[in-house]
């Protein structure tokens, strides 16, 4: 059931994993009605066209290095407590507030903290789902995350915990690791320690959902080869059944057959 976007309320909108047209129809509708939009670093700037008269405020985060904020200079991350307080403030002023999050708000988006802040202030809210990066990567590479007869379960995992530690387990037939691009070699070692055979298929996709998306296929043993190719780009790593190609399907054009590291090693004297 669709509810009206009332003044003094907050709607969390999943922007989708990349280009603006991957947002849902309801998400676009809520944006058009917004007075204030607090947006993440990974939301497509083209979405501004849906709410040209709204006040757009950058509250982006990017891992542990921050994002550029021109008004303040340098690179920093907006503190979560600040985001929570500003959501409450704008809604209390009677604004229709959209909290625009890349991908899906419920997947590694700190949604629980912001919902708790609004609930404590007695502010009404709605969550509009979006397409998360794992699904975009599976779609563009034609690698279904579940497979009949062999892939019955999928786990979505953040590779780096809140305290900066890298971790990996074996929780499903297919596991997708978010925020792993800078530590692929270490992730490979953790995967082996967790019981994944070194021959297990591994798929690395960076900038999923964007026109400059890149994908490369590996095994757990060769996962580190993808490091240079995907360096500096938001990356998801799929391991297990869902990383392997389908029986008779070709590879989309966005696939890179071998990583830059492997090509350099082959060309070395």
């Amino acid at each position: 059931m669709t509810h009206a976007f009332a003044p003094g309320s907050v709607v969390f909108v999943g922007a989708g994993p990349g280009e603006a047209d991957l947002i849902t129809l309801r998400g676009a509708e809520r944006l058009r009605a917004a007075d204030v939009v607090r947006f993440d670093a990974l939301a497509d700037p083209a979405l501004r066209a849906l709410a040209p008269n709204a006040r757009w405020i950058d509250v982006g985060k990017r891992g542990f290095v921050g994002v550029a904020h021109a008004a303040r200079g340098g690179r920093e991350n907006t503190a979560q407590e600040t985001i929570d307080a500003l959501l409450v403030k704008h809604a209390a002023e009677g604004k229709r507030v959209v909290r625009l999050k890349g991908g899906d708000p419920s997947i590694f988006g700190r949604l629980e903290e912001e919902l708790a802040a609004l609930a404590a202030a007695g502010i009404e809210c709605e969550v509009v789902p979006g397409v998360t990066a794992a699904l975009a990567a599976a779609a563009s590479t034609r690698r279904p995350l579940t497979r009949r007869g062999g892939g019955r379960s999928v786990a979505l995992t953040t590779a780096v915990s809140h305290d900066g530690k890298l971790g990996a387990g074996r929780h499903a037939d297919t596991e997708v690791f978010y925020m792993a691009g800078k530590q692929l070699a270490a992730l490979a070692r953790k995967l082996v320690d967790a019981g994944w055979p070194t021959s297990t298929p591994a798929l690395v996709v960076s900038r999923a959902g964007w026109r400059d998306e890149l994908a490369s296929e590996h095994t757990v043993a060769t996962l580190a080869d993808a490091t240079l190719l995907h360096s500096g780009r938001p990356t998801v790593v799929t391991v297990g059944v869902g990383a392997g190609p389908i029986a008779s399907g070709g590879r989309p054009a966005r696939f890179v057959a071998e990583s830059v590291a492997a090509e350099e090693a082959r060309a070395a004297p």
Side-chain angles (χ1 to χ4, degrees):
M1 178 179 180
T2 302
H3 302 281
F5 190 179
S9 64
V10 175
V11 178
F12 296 89
V13 173
E19 292 184 281
D21 60 357
L22 289 173
I23 197 171
T24 66
L25 290 174
R26 185 179 297 183
E29 177 185 290
R30 295 296 187 261
L31 266 182
R32 292 188 185 98
D35 300 309
V36 176
V37 180
R38 307 198 67 85
F39 64 96
D40 277 350
L42 297 180
D44 187 350
L47 288 168
R48 286 175 178 261
L50 296 177
N53 298 320
R55 181 185 177 192
W56 286 71
I57 303 172
D58 181 359
V59 292
K61 292 182 172 68
R62 183 65 61 81
F64 301 104
V65 299
V67 294
H69 293 285
R72 297 189 290 274
R75 298 181 69 84
E76 58 189 75
N77 282 327
T78 306
Q80 187 60 51
E81 294 79 5
T82 300
I83 296 173
D84 298 343
L86 289 173
L87 287 175
V88 171
K89 175 181 181 293
H90 290 305
E93 292 172 348
K95 307 294 186 182
R96 295 180 178 88
V97 183
V98 162
R99 177 68 172 98
L100 188 64
K101 293 178 176 284
D104 178 89
S106 296
I107 305 297
F108 307 125
R110 298 194 179 187
L111 177 62
E112 74 283 5
E113 297 166 62
E114 294 172 27
L115 286 173
L118 295 174
I123 293 171
E124 293 294 324
C125 61
E126 176 189 9
V127 180
V128 178
V131 179
T132 189
L135 301 183
S140 63
T141 60
R142 303 171 197 162
R143 304 289 169 99
L145 293 178
T146 61
R147 311 286 176 93
R148 187 160 62 94
R152 299 177 60 244
S153 58
V154 178
L156 305 181
T157 305
T158 176
V160 180
S161 63
H162 69 282
D163 56 4
K165 294 181 179 179
L166 179 72
R170 189 175 183 183
H171 306 107
D173 298 322
T174 299
E175 190 144 7
V176 185
F177 295 89
Y178 285 63
M179 296 169 276
K182 293 185 177 180
Q183 304 187 63
L184 293 177
L187 177 62
R189 292 191 293 270
K190 293 284 188 180
L191 290 170
V192 173
D193 291 343
W196 291 95
T198 56
S199 60
T200 303
L203 175 70
V204 182
V205 180
S206 59
R207 296 269 295 169
W210 296 91
R211 293 192 181 186
D212 62 345
E213 173 185 308
L214 291 175
S216 57
E217 51 191 348
H218 309 270
T219 64
V220 166
T222 64
L223 187 55
D225 290 347
T227 300
L228 289 181
L229 178 65
H230 300 279
S231 177
R233 297 160 57 89
T235 300
V236 292
V237 180
T238 304
V239 176
V241 174
I246 60 175
S248 59
R251 295 191 310 177
R254 289 175 178 175
F255 260 101
V256 176
E258 297 182 2
S259 72
V260 172
E263 290 176 359
E264 290 182 346
R266 188 176 61 250

